[in-house]
């Protein structure tokens, strides 16, 4: 997995990538995300519904508006509900 720094012609800003390790269903993978990506954006990139998953940093649930930090490990838990 490679991260980089590049220039975005649309926004005319320098954009940096970050690598986040994600653990889901006892499998882990490294994701390259654009700096500033939210937890919601990360879940969507993984093809997961944000309202059906909880993302944890350690044992702390993260709001969908938070951003992951470069190099950290996050755990994703599927939420089950029913009657």
């Amino acid at each position: 997995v490679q991260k980089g720094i590049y220039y975005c012609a649309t926004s005319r800003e320098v954009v940096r990538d970050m690598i986040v390790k994600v653990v889901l269903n006892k499998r882990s993978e490294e994701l390259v995300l654009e700096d500033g990506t939210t937890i919601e954006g990360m879940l969507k990139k993984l093809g997961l519904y944000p309202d059906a998953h909880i993302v944890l940093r350690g044992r702390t649930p993260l709001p969908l508006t938070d951003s992951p930090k470069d190099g950290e490990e996050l755990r994703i838990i599927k939420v089950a509900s029913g009657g």
Side-chain angles (χ1 to χ4, degrees):
V1 176
Q2 283 190 340
K3 64 180 183 177
I5 301 171
Y6 55 92
Y7 177 76
C8 179
T10 307
S11 66
R12 297 186 176 183
E13 296 177 353
V14 174
V15 180
R16 300 178 190 276
D17 289 338
M18 61 180 159
I19 296 177
V20 177
K21 184 177 179 182
V22 176
V23 178
L24 173 65
N25 298 327
K26 298 183 182 179
R27 290 186 6 239
S28 69
E29 67 178 272
E30 288 186 337
L31 288 178
V32 176
L33 300 172
E34 189 176 297
D35 191 30
T37 300
T38 62
I39 296 297
E40 182 177 15
M42 180 187 75
L43 289 171
K44 287 180 179 179
K45 182 174 180 167
L46 289 167
L48 302 173
Y49 294 107
D51 58 346
H53 295 84
I54 296 174
V55 178
L56 302 171
R57 178 183 288 135
R59 297 179 71 176
T60 306
L62 299 175
L64 293 174
T65 55
D66 262 18
S67 292
K69 297 181 177 99
D70 187 29
E72 78 176 339
E73 181 176 314
L74 300 175
R75 192 165 42 121
I76 301 173
I77 299 173
K78 184 171 175 57
V79 177
S81 62

